[in-house]
Amino acid sequence: MTIETTPPVRTLAPAARAVEVLGGDFTEASLRRYLNGIPGVDAVGLEQRAAGLGTRSIKTTSKAWALDKIIELIDLTTLEGADTPGKVRSLVAKALTPDPSDLTAPRPAAVCVYGDMVPYAVEALGASHAGRSGGAPGSVNVAAVATAFPSGRASLAVKLADTADAVAAGADEIDMVIDRGAFLSGRYGLVFDEIVAVKEACRRPDGSYAHLKVILETGELNTYDNVRRASWLSILAGGDFIKTSTGKVSPAATLPVTLLMLEVVRDWHKLTGEEIGVKPAGGIRSSKDAIKYLVTVAETVGEHWLQPHLFRFGASSLLNDVLLQRQKLTTGHYSGADYVTID
């Protein structure tokens, strides 16, 4: 399988893409009709499919591959009000050398921090920063949360400044939050326009763009139907990724919601040929749970999607458990109390 180290460029502007998909002039009314016309979700069927995928086992010979793959797909995250430059440097050190006792362990895809912490992450990564190395193997991206994360409660001007500052500081990826209040009140055009504007704020002086992940905060959307509509809306507006959660609201990522978002991505690919990423974030702490997501991705959109530019885990503690499992496979024993068995 060919591994793509950089995501393909989306060739149509969001408005043009929306017109093409909607089959006519793009207006607030036509967008609302389109989204409200999307078939409802069979909640029972969705949850049964997710439960079935969650019981799949993998061969013992595949476990080492799965553990390394999980690491490669992690956005190693610290998003706390008490974050300091020192804490970010420690996070970067963990990303660069996940297991000092085994230097064959792969590196995570990215470190994810608040925008004001981006310069410290870039500095600590040095030549291993993907933005400096051109995405060379083993390099690490810097992702920044923006747009008044996690609430999204700010003016558009503040959200755009938040985004532009992070990009100027060296962020390779922006994780934005949608205005859930606007979405839930049916103001789809406002949400669409904000995503388009944030995408433009991701533009660098050389004309390239930071990768945009759109956080739906599915725990606040209340229904699977809303998750499906928000997923379609985010993709139409130019999002490169759709992300479940900020990790600050419960429930965060769940397997049924992630399955639903993967189905949207699959359907979008069939419709347009474009590949959109999915990022479950929040609450995925064990290797056993992460493997369920790998299986769900492979069975829904195919193994091709198990690449960093198409799938990520947003996590802070998952890496530790994966390294413990990896140690177990390598040495045949582990004496720690937090060991979680992979069935």
Side-chain angles (χ1 to χ4, degrees):
M1 178 175 67
T2 300
I3 301 297
E4 299 178 29
T5 56
T6 56
V9 176
R10 301 185 72 181
T11 55
L12 285 177
R17 184 181 302 106
V19 169
E20 183 176 78
V21 173
L22 271 58
D25 292 336
F26 174 65
T27 63
E28 169 88 29
S30 65
L31 179 62
R32 185 180 297 109
R33 282 195 302 271
Y34 181 80
L35 294 176
N36 288 337
I38 293 172
V41 177
D42 176 356
V44 173
L46 177 71
E47 291 173 358
Q48 286 180 342
R49 288 196 300 278
L53 290 167
T55 62
R56 300 279 185 89
S57 61
I58 63 172
K59 296 178 180 178
T60 301
T61 54
S62 299
K63 288 179 182 176
W65 172 88
L67 293 173
D68 281 1
K69 178 58 65 176
I70 292 167
I71 296 173
E72 293 170 359
L73 299 175
I74 288 176
D75 282 358
L76 191 60
T77 302
T78 183
L79 296 171
E80 301 298 333
D83 284 344
T84 64
K87 186 176 180 181
V88 169
R89 293 187 187 103
S90 295
L91 186 80
V92 170
K94 182 73 168 178
L96 292 177
T97 311
D99 186 352
S101 69
D102 184 355
L103 299 182
T104 67
R107 291 172 173 174
V111 292
C112 184
V113 297
Y114 275 109
D116 63 319
M117 293 288 107
V118 168
Y120 304 106
V122 170
E123 179 186 25
L125 282 169
S128 295
H129 177 213
R132 292 179 179 173
S133 68
S139 61
V140 179
N141 285 307
V142 174
V145 295
T147 64
F149 177 98
S151 69
R153 301 254 65 88
S155 68
L156 179 59
V158 168
K159 293 178 181 180
L160 298 182
D162 194 17
T163 302
D165 285 350
V167 173
D172 307 290
E173 304 169 5
I174 294 295
D175 288 31
M176 70 165 287
V177 289
I178 66 168
D179 185 332
R180 283 86 77 188
F183 179 86
L184 290 170
S185 60
R187 292 176 289 163
Y188 300 143
L190 186 154
V191 179
F192 180 95
D193 289 344
E194 283 203 349
I195 297 171
V196 171
V198 172
K199 179 69 175 181
E200 188 57 32
C202 290
R203 185 182 177 94
R204 304 185 184 97
D206 65 0
S208 63
Y209 287 81
H211 217 43
L212 180 62
K213 307 192 200 87
V214 182
I215 307 172
L216 310 183
E217 197 65 288
T218 54
E220 292 186 342
L221 295 185
N222 303 323
T223 69
Y224 290 133
D225 287 349
N226 279 338
V227 172
R228 179 179 277 176
R229 291 190 192 100
S231 297
W232 277 97
L233 174 59
S234 300
I235 295 171
L236 279 168
D240 301 299
F241 257 74
I242 48 176
K243 177 179 171 182
T244 61
S245 323
T246 62
K248 305 298 185 182
V249 171
S250 183
T254 68
L255 203 59
V257 161
T258 304
L259 171 59
L260 176 58
M261 293 166 65
L262 287 165
E263 289 175 345
V264 171
V265 163
R266 177 198 62 199
D267 294 344
W268 178 262
H269 182 249
K270 289 179 180 177
L271 181 66
T272 69
E274 290 185 334
E275 298 176 342
I276 303 298
V278 175
K279 179 180 173 180
I284 306 171
R285 298 183 176 90
S286 74
S287 305
K288 184 175 181 178
D289 285 341
I291 285 175
K292 295 177 183 178
Y293 284 85
L294 294 187
V295 171
T296 300
V297 172
E299 292 291 326
T300 307
V301 288
E303 290 187 20
H304 171 70
W305 247 259
L306 294 174
Q307 302 184 64
H309 75 274
L310 291 174
F311 190 76
R312 299 282 181 87
F313 293 105
S316 56
S317 59
L318 174 62
L319 178 60
N320 291 332
D321 185 69
V322 176
L323 292 174
L324 296 181
Q325 305 303 333
R326 202 172 180 275
Q327 184 184 90
K328 171 67 175 179
L329 287 179
T330 302
T331 65
H333 70 277
Y334 173 67
S335 58
D338 296 328
Y339 174 65
V340 180
T341 303
I342 302 174
D343 292 337

